[in-house]
Amino acid sequence: FNLHLYPQMLHHLTETREEYKKEYDGEGVCRQRGDPESPQLFKHGDIILGGTFSFHSRWKDRQETYMHRPLPLECTSLNFREFQFAQSMLFAIEEINNSTDLLPGVSLGYKIYDTCGSIARSVRVALALTNGNEIVSAPSEEPCTKPAQVQAIMGETSSSPTTAIATVIGPFHIPMISHFATCACLSDKSKYPSFLRTIPSDYYQSRALAQLVKHFGWTWVGAIRANNDYGNNGMATFIEIAQQLDICLEYSVSFFRTDPSDKMQKMIEIIKASTSRVIVAFLSQMDMDVLIHELSHHNLTGYQWVGSEGWIFDSQTAATDKYHILDGAIGLSIPKAHVSGLKAFMMNFWETLFSCKFNQSKSSAEIQRDCTGQEDLTGVQNSFTDMSLMPIFNNVYKGVYAVAHALHSMLSCNKTCTKDLQLDPITVSSMHIQNIHFKTKDGEEVYFNENGDPAAKYEIINWQPREKGIVDFVSVGLYDASLSADKQLNLQNTSLIWAQNSQQVPVSVCSEKCPPGTRKVLQKGKPVCCYDCIRCAEGEISNITDSVTCTRCPPEFWSNNRRDACIKKEAVFLSFEEIMGALLTTASLFGTCMTAIVAYIFFRNRKTPIVRANNSELSFLLLFSLTLCFLCSLTFIGRPSEWSCMLRHTAFGITFVLCISCVLGKTMVVLMAFRATLPGSNVMKWFGPTQQRLSVLGVTLIQIIICILWLIISPPFPSMNFKEFKDKIILECALGSAVGFWAVLGYIGLLAVLCFICAFLARKLPDNFNEAKFITFSMLIFCAVWITFIPAYVSSPGKFSVAVEIFAILASSFGLLICIFIPKCYIILLRPEKNTKKNMMGKGAIK
């Protein structure tokens, strides 16, 4: 408050304290403070029930100066719905009073007050119902503590006034039964011990609304709520559940029907700037009427509205919507109900009260007073005769009957009731109303759970516009909180009408769904519903819509082009069918055939000097080993298997050692033969045919032992290589023991170098007899091939490494075959005149 008002406030408080001293004469003496509160509707009875209803929906604001006592609240805007709620209470009381089965001989009275929707006035009225309104002209000697004036209070309609009343009367344990206050906060028995209600808690409604929104795929919505307990608590629960269901709120704004226009304008601007097409409105009927009025000025149509039970089935709200802003709205309502006799009672009430007929062409507040009182209101359609809120009327009706059944049990009624029993509100509330369970005359069960709430059931209502601006509230489904989670929401196969009379379900998402093959990446600074769809990387897939992550395919699989499925990788190996495999196979077979032809030529001419020279036996053994060398290359082609992997390397190693040992033997024969011609030399006896055979066998046996050790310790085995290519599997033979592999190659290399040295030493022997120079040249080719093989083999990927190894085998084999045997074949076939012993020996002298 303003500081300059403080002296005035202090003066006012001083005067108030002096007035209090004059009115309060001592302990135990009570006087009523303030002005008495008179009920709007009153009837005497043995037992009095209180009622609080907002017959007016607004009040005039005043700027208090604190100079005098505040004036009584000036209520405005008649709300005839609340009159109907009050009539439902009167109808139930009258029906009970006329019953011989319920509370026989006991009459119920009532005191019904108008709260104007004001929390402050609601508290004042509650205290009036609790204390009474006796005007005492002299000091009363009665004790200040005495039984409450009423045994129960029916009302309020809104949650905020109800919360205030329940807080005030809670310590007195006066039962309060509301017909339309749905705030989940009121279920807290520690704060509101004597509160009960005949309408389900928003704890269930908020969850139902969130499930309804999720059902239609709306993940990007706006929210408008009433700035009171009903709207704030209901929307808080909705937001909590919406987050669990991956629903995002673009905005959440609140307002109250008495808010200034500038605040309403800000809210309208937020709605205009939004991209969501669905609005969840947690509002009362009065708040929605104000909102419709504002939206109409800005032509905000085309939005899909999702409504709470506060306005979704209110016919007056539909009549107010002249611009069809709410067409196609969907939401939750209290299940349809019927109270037989209530409509006739209300018609009779209005005819009796006003003794006139309401003008249907004018607003509901304008009443013609020039009537005879004999008119029939049955055919008139306006706020007075509207029965669309029958479910709420039924809630009021059930609340009154709940109190009556509790009193009936408490008073031990049979044919008559015990009237001299002192009623205790604590007993009425805690021991009887909480535990009652009965059926109404129309067959509806009434009971309360441990929180004072009824069973939570809702109808799902769809606004379907018809001709002449009439809106049908079509029931399209049910929500039953007592069922399992997957069965609570049950939508019927009824054609729904959406915003702007569309037959298609509206789309309201921040981002379109990410198709399979993509994953969601959140947009920076935006809610989780706003994301970009990023294609899965190679080797990863997502096979569901809106996938958060991409799943990597197993090693044997790879992603397809759409990235939505894993397909088996192509197995890659050097096969006989492919061009490279076919060429190498041809080369291998060609070398084999060529070797066989040379062997045939040598066999046919085995008696000739050129064949017999330099140990023909070693020549045939060399040709045999070369044949094996050509053929062993075929074991490297084809799908690797356990046996082929062990065979290819060992066969290669042994056959090549056999081949080189033969070449080495021939070289040694040349050297020894030359040394044997020198005077006094006796070398040949140490390197005769037997020694040559043993040397070849011994040299080869060493390689065989190396291969056996390799196969025993860690043999080669087939493996799948996933590293070289992302989308292919290389089927290859793993070496097992790399030491074994390089030992085999190293031994071959050692023999080749030794053979080269020996041949190099024999290069100056007489040409006619000497083949050492051909062996030297062949060893140069052999060594060059295998020296270049090592880096090529290591750097070649997959099947190309196998091809390099085969090429090295074939190249070195062809080198030996061509360099050693082709010159002799040339002489045998084309120059037979030189194939004589004389020619072989004639030019043997050293120059």
Side-chain angles (χ1 to χ4, degrees):
F1 55 87
N2 296 329
L3 291 177
H4 72 275
L5 294 177
Y6 180 74
Q8 301 172 5
M9 289 177 58
L10 183 62
H11 175 71
H12 172 69
L13 291 174
T14 303
E15 289 183 346
T16 303
R17 185 170 65 252
E18 293 300 325
E19 291 178 6
Y20 177 77
K21 288 181 179 179
K22 294 178 182 178
E23 293 186 3
Y24 189 74
D25 295 331
E27 294 184 2
V29 178
C30 295
R31 287 182 179 273
Q32 183 179 13
R33 296 281 296 152
D35 299 326
E37 289 288 342
S38 300
Q40 273 64 40
L41 298 172
F42 171 76
K43 181 181 179 180
H44 288 291
D46 298 327
I47 298 174
I48 303 297
L49 302 183
T52 60
F53 300 97
S54 300
F55 296 149
H56 296 82
S57 59
R58 296 190 183 189
W59 61 90
K60 288 186 178 180
D61 287 330
R62 294 192 184 92
Q63 186 67 36
E64 300 295 342
T65 62
Y66 303 99
M67 297 297 294
H68 53 77
R69 178 181 297 176
L71 296 174
L73 198 68
E74 186 176 351
C75 302
T76 61
S77 301
L78 281 173
N79 185 356
F80 286 101
R81 291 183 183 83
E82 299 287 330
F83 278 112
Q84 290 178 311
F85 300 158
Q87 290 174 65
S88 301
M89 178 179 174
L90 302 184
F91 171 73
I93 291 175
E94 184 174 315
E95 198 172 68
I96 293 169
N97 287 339
N98 293 331
S99 172
T100 57
D101 298 325
L102 189 61
L103 292 177
V106 176
S107 64
L108 296 180
Y110 52 82
K111 288 183 179 180
I112 299 178
Y113 286 85
D114 177 16
T115 63
C116 300
S118 166
I119 295 177
R121 182 167 176 79
S122 297
V123 172
R124 184 180 180 91
V125 164
L127 292 174
L129 288 171
T130 304
N131 297 328
N133 281 314
E134 298 87 354
I135 301 177
V136 181
S137 57
S140 173
E141 299 299 333
E142 295 182 13
C144 291
T145 302
K146 57 182 179 180
Q149 294 295 307
V150 295
Q151 295 303 315
I153 297 176
M154 313 308 298
E156 248 277 352
T157 300
S158 300
S159 293
S160 291
T162 302
T163 302
I165 296 175
T167 301
V168 171
I169 67 173
F172 304 111
H173 298 281
I174 300 175
M176 179 180 186
I177 304 180
S178 175
H179 53 278
F180 209 48
T182 57
C183 179
C185 58
L186 290 165
S187 297
D188 187 350
K189 283 299 178 185
S190 63
K191 294 182 179 179
Y192 314 106
S194 61
F195 176 79
L196 304 99
R197 53 184 158 196
T198 52
I199 188 170
S201 165
D202 282 339
Y203 174 88
Y204 302 102
Q205 179 177 207
S206 298
R207 282 164 169 73
L209 286 174
Q211 291 185 32
L212 186 65
V213 170
K214 182 65 175 179
H215 175 81
F216 292 110
W218 300 324
T219 58
W220 186 239
V221 301
I224 302 176
R225 68 186 187 277
N227 191 15
N228 53 26
D229 290 327
Y230 169 70
N232 292 330
N233 285 278
M235 187 56 69
T237 304
F238 172 82
I239 294 174
E240 177 185 350
I241 304 303
Q243 290 175 347
Q244 297 175 12
L245 297 177
D246 296 328
I247 300 170
C248 300
L249 267 68
E250 184 179 10
Y251 59 87
S252 179
V253 293
S254 64
F255 79 99
F256 195 67
R257 55 185 175 271
T258 58
D259 283 345
S261 58
D262 59 335
K263 185 175 181 179
M264 299 293 292
Q265 182 62 34
K266 290 181 180 178
M267 182 179 66
I268 296 298
E269 294 301 326
I270 292 175
I271 297 174
K272 283 183 175 181
S274 67
T275 58
S276 58
R277 307 307 301 169
V278 174
I279 301 176
V280 180
F282 226 102
L283 303 169
S284 68
Q285 171 269 325
M286 291 179 286
D287 295 319
M288 178 52 80
D289 288 349
V290 173
L291 180 61
I292 291 175
H293 180 72
E294 293 293 331
L295 295 176
S296 300
H297 291 325
H298 297 84
N299 194 27
L300 285 177
T301 60
Y303 291 91
Q304 178 61 47
W305 291 83
V306 180
S308 63
E309 96 296 336
W311 62 270
I312 196 66
F313 67 107
D314 192 285
S315 59
Q316 185 169 326
T317 300
T320 305
D321 184 21
K322 301 296 185 182
Y323 292 90
H324 304 284
I325 295 171
L326 303 178
D327 281 1
I330 192 169
L332 304 177
S333 77
I334 307 169
K336 290 183 175 65
H338 177 69
V339 181
S340 55
L342 179 58
K343 182 175 182 179
F345 175 83
M346 287 190 177
M347 296 299 101
N348 182 64
F349 178 87
W350 292 116
E351 291 172 357
T352 304
L353 180 64
F354 293 107
S355 297
C356 68
K357 174 182 176 183
F358 298 108
N359 190 346
Q360 188 175 357
S361 63
K362 297 186 178 182
S363 67
S364 58
E366 297 181 17
I367 304 171
Q368 292 182 348
R369 293 288 183 175
D370 53 349
C371 304
T372 64
Q374 303 301 318
E375 289 81 6
D376 182 16
L377 296 181
T378 305
V380 178
Q381 296 294 327
N382 54 28
S383 297
F384 304 109
T385 62
D386 181 17
M387 292 290 112
S388 64
L389 300 183
M390 183 62 76
I392 308 179
F393 304 159
N394 184 48
N395 285 347
V396 179
Y397 179 84
K398 290 187 295 185
V400 176
Y401 263 84
V403 175
H405 277 275
L407 292 171
H408 185 88
S409 175
M410 182 179 175
L411 297 176
S412 303
C413 297
N414 191 1
K415 292 185 178 180
T416 59
C417 299
T418 305
K419 293 186 178 182
D420 56 353
L421 180 65
Q422 179 66 47
L423 294 176
D424 182 1
I426 298 178
T427 306
V428 174
S429 175
S430 302
M431 295 182 58
H432 293 280
I433 299 182
Q434 189 82 19
N435 298 322
I436 59 98
H437 192 151
F438 66 93
K439 284 187 176 182
T440 66
K441 63 182 179 180
D442 295 300
E444 183 179 356
E445 280 191 290
V446 180
Y447 59 92
F448 302 96
N449 62 15
E450 65 277 6
N451 296 322
D453 299 328
K457 294 182 180 180
Y458 298 95
E459 282 189 13
I460 301 173
I461 297 298
N462 180 222
W463 282 32
Q464 299 190 2
R466 299 293 185 242
E467 296 179 357
K468 299 181 180 179
I470 299 174
V471 174
D472 284 348
F473 300 139
V474 179
S475 177
V476 295
L478 295 171
Y479 179 87
D480 190 345
S482 64
L483 301 178
S484 58
D486 58 331
K487 297 180 180 179
Q488 290 176 346
L489 187 65
N490 180 24
L491 282 168
Q492 302 168 359
N493 293 327
T494 306
S495 58
L496 296 170
I497 301 297
W498 303 104
Q500 296 181 324
N501 289 329
S502 173
Q503 301 291 328
Q504 299 294 324
V505 179
V507 177
S508 185
V509 294
C510 183
S511 301
E512 294 293 336
K513 290 181 179 294
C514 287
T518 62
R519 63 184 176 90
K520 297 195 297 186
V521 177
L522 298 182
Q523 296 177 2
K524 189 176 180 180
K526 291 188 177 181
V528 295
C529 298
C530 301
Y531 48 82
D532 296 317
C533 298
I534 305 299
R535 194 181 187 200
C536 292
E538 290 184 338
E540 297 181 346
I541 66 160
S542 65
N543 53 11
I544 59 174
T545 303
D546 276 348
S547 176
V548 178
T549 59
C550 293
T551 305
R552 180 164 291 280
C553 292
E556 299 85 357
F557 293 84
W558 192 248
S559 57
N560 59 3
N561 291 332
R562 295 191 301 273
R563 307 285 199 274
D564 59 357
C566 289
I567 56 177
K568 198 168 183 63
K569 287 182 179 179
E570 178 187 358
V572 178
F573 58 91
L574 188 60
S575 65
F576 292 100
E577 290 78 11
E578 61 181 297
I579 296 176
M580 184 165 57
L583 291 175
L584 293 174
T585 301
T586 302
S588 175
L589 295 176
F590 176 74
T592 304
C593 294
M594 188 175 175
T595 306
I597 293 171
V598 171
Y600 175 75
I601 294 172
F602 268 51
F603 183 77
R604 287 290 302 271
N605 298 275
R606 64 186 178 278
K607 303 293 186 180
T608 61
I610 198 168
V611 175
R612 295 181 65 187
N614 200 0
N615 197 336
S616 62
E617 186 177 335
L618 285 181
S619 296
F620 283 108
L621 186 59
L622 177 58
L623 288 171
F624 173 71
S625 62
L626 283 174
T627 302
L628 295 179
C629 288
F630 282 117
L631 291 176
C632 81
S633 64
L634 297 177
T635 63
F636 288 83
I637 304 175
R639 178 183 287 270
S641 65
E642 186 175 354
W643 286 105
S644 69
C645 287
M646 291 190 293
L647 179 62
R648 63 173 59 171
H649 289 101
T650 54
F652 153 70
I654 293 171
T655 55
F656 257 78
V657 165
L658 178 61
C659 180
I660 295 175
S661 65
C662 293
V663 175
L664 181 61
K666 290 175 72 64
T667 308
M668 295 301 294
V669 168
V670 172
L671 286 174
M672 295 302 106
F674 175 71
R675 294 293 180 185
T677 61
L678 296 178
S681 176
N682 195 25
V683 178
M684 285 304 295
K685 71 176 183 178
W686 299 107
F687 205 75
T690 303
Q691 288 78 9
Q692 293 174 23
R693 296 188 195 100
L694 290 175
S695 65
V696 170
L697 179 61
V699 170
T700 306
L701 186 61
I702 294 173
Q703 182 75 309
I704 292 173
I705 293 172
I706 295 174
C707 291
I708 291 174
L709 291 174
W710 183 15
L711 295 177
I712 291 174
I713 296 173
S714 180
F717 58 90
S719 68
M720 293 185 290
N721 186 344
F722 303 106
K723 297 179 180 179
E724 298 293 340
F725 300 100
K726 295 181 292 184
D727 57 344
K728 295 178 182 178
I729 302 175
I730 299 175
L731 301 181
E732 59 186 9
C733 287
L735 297 177
S737 172
V739 175
F741 174 73
W742 291 111
V744 169
L745 286 184
Y747 186 64
I748 294 173
L750 177 64
L751 293 178
V753 172
L754 182 61
C755 185
F756 173 75
I757 293 173
C758 292
F760 182 77
L761 293 175
R763 72 188 186 281
K764 293 183 179 181
L765 295 179
D767 293 342
N768 287 17
F769 183 75
N770 185 17
E771 65 176 349
K773 60 182 179 181
F774 300 115
I775 295 175
T776 303
F777 189 65
S778 67
M779 286 298 103
L780 281 174
I781 295 174
F782 185 92
C783 293
V785 168
W786 286 102
I787 289 172
T788 56
F789 159 78
I790 294 173
Y793 178 82
V794 172
S795 61
S796 298
K799 63 182 181 181
F800 298 102
S801 65
V802 178
V804 167
E805 191 168 359
I806 295 173
F807 177 80
I809 293 172
L810 294 177
S812 56
S813 299
F814 275 112
L816 290 172
L817 178 64
I818 293 172
C819 292
I820 295 175
F821 292 100
I822 294 303
K824 294 181 180 181
C825 290
Y826 172 76
I827 293 173
I828 292 170
L829 297 175
L830 300 178
R831 302 293 296 272
E833 67 276 8
K834 291 186 177 183
N835 189 8
T836 63
K837 187 175 181 180
K838 180 180 179 181
N839 185 64
M840 298 294 296
M841 302 297 293
K843 298 181 180 180
I846 301 176
K847 296 179 180 179

